[in-house]
Amino acid sequence: MTTGAGPTAAPEVGAGSRAVVPLALAQFIMVLDSSVMSVSISQLVEEFDTTVSMIQLAITLYALVMAALMLTGGKIGDLMGRLRAFRIGLVIYAVGSALTALAPTVGVLIVGWSVIEGAGAALVLPALAALVAGNYEGPARARAYGLIGGVAGAGIAIGPLLGGWLTTAYSWRWVFAGEVVIVVVVLAVSGWILERAGDRATSRLDVTGAVLSALGLALVVIGVLQSGTWGWIRPLDSPVTPFGFALTPFVIAAGLGVLWVFAAWERHVVRAGRTPLLDLGNLRIPALRAGLAGLLTQNFVLLGLFFAIPLYLQVVQGFDALETGIRLLPTSVAMLVAAALGARLGGRLGARAMTRAGLVTVALACLVLLATIDPELSGVPFAIGMALLGLGAGLLASQLGNVVQSAVPPEARSEAGGLQYTAQNLGSSLGTALVGAVMVAALGSATLSLIGEDPDVEASVAEQAGTRLSEGIEYVPPGELEAALGEVVAPDQVDDLVDAYATAQLTGVKTGILVCAAVTLLALPSTRNLPGRRPRARPGAESAAGPPPAAPADPPTGA
């Protein structure tokens, strides 16, 4: 990457810098929204007269917009200056928050929250990641990234409690109004953040690469998101049926194809002597690939679980938003503690050991939660499972941001920040979309199976139920279903149908949690390329614990 004046020494960086305060506050509000919405699903459905699937769409689109625009946002930060991009992104984000707070319809909610806020965050987050690296060095940098990671996790975990209280006592809209106030505070103290002289690039934005990367990522996530509606292979409510199949695999394949074209284009840009949107050579760095895989897994599991668990608590158990938030509190407390301890222990034990411990703990949490998903909530075991989830997620958050930023040279930090948050938000959108789709599929399949096995349900009623299920199914409180069935089904059949549906809801939630556990364990092999206890210092490479410069590209090792 070409820079205006070349890299210079970091100005007055170290543990005493106040830069982490506005950076951490900005990180907090960037991730707060999704977790707030997770406990407000029932209220949003009722207020906007919409469905759970539509709110799932809004949650997924927020993460999708960020993931699709993150690489572009990072490159814009290089061009205009990271601190300026950070501030402009915050202003855009505040505009989106204000519009969301006033949204009269679900469509305006999606525009304000999912689109405008997502676009603002795509400018803020890559710049934020690079600014942390520019304001801290050595162990202080590792601790700063641990704090930023812990705050990000806390935003996901505290959001349900904060959102639950505001939604129950006042309105979910106050969360977004409050974010505008926090943005004003962050902008007021953003002068505490230092920026390296000469970090601004003089090249032009690779517009073609930006369009291709955004389109490819969007198609992949949209395909996964709509799989519950369109069907994976057999068409359900697919708008078109190519060769008799559902549209889903074709949309996902198209997305992957566009990403392949994007990679080919980026290589062409480099051969032409221009600056690409993404330097593919950096992806040959094993530690960078491993860090990105860990971040994608972390957010996939967290957002997947924070879609499934609140749905269980609100729809199955009937808790309101505040009661739901209280039951998710052990996650936030454990996450904050684990992130703080993990940032200190990582220097001694190494990012590899800490990340593996975090993944195993998250998988264990999923197993504990699976054992507690019953018609009656088992309070203490459930709290233990949520605390284990926070513990594992906190250990991951304390390591992975520093690993990603430390793997590249200073001039590539905005690009690494773009990759970092692309991985996180791709994980968030895929987690919400895929876990939601799997839960809906499991709900429909289990309901149909239980109705078919029940000898008390008449064949004609079972056939009618099968026809309705083939058109789609939603998570609704059993009482609401009972009222709806009472208008079209004989009274003696209603109880059996409602019981089957209630049991199937538990099956759907458990299936979603099981998917999260499987994804967590599948990520373990990629950790072998993370820095160990005493990573070998290489010329131009920076370990997770210290300040050597960035690593030259190593041959791919299958991270």
Side-chain angles (χ1 to χ4, degrees), residues 22-63:
L23 293 172
L25 281 173
Q27 174 69 86
F28 179 77
I29 62 173
M30 295 293 119
V31 299
L32 180 66
D33 292 353
S34 295
S35 56
V36 165
M37 289 301 199
S38 68
V39 298
S40 304
I41 292 174
S42 298
Q43 287 76 11
L44 289 164
V45 169
E46 181 179 354
E47 182 169 337
F48 291 121
D49 190 23
T50 185
T51 63
V52 170
S53 294
M54 182 59 70
I55 303 305
Q56 180 198 3
L57 172 65
I59 295 172
T60 304
L61 280 179
Y62 175 62

Side-chain angles (χ1 to χ4, degrees), residues 133-212:
N135 280 261
Y136 296 90
E137 290 180 339
R141 179 184 296 170
R143 289 194 294 272
Y145 275 117
L147 176 61
I148 293 292
V151 166
I156 294 173
I158 291 175
L161 182 61
L162 176 62
W165 171 64
L166 286 174
T167 299
T168 302
Y170 304 100
S171 168
W172 57 270
R173 297 175 185 272
W174 284 101
V175 175
F176 294 92
E179 287 185 344
V180 177
V181 176
I182 296 175
V183 166
V184 172
V185 173
V186 173
L187 290 171
V189 299
S190 62
W192 295 352
I193 305 170
L194 303 173
E195 186 173 22
R196 290 174 179 265
D199 271 358
R200 190 174 303 178
T202 58
S203 57
R204 298 169 63 181
L205 178 65
D206 174 15
V207 176
T208 301
V211 172
L212 288 172

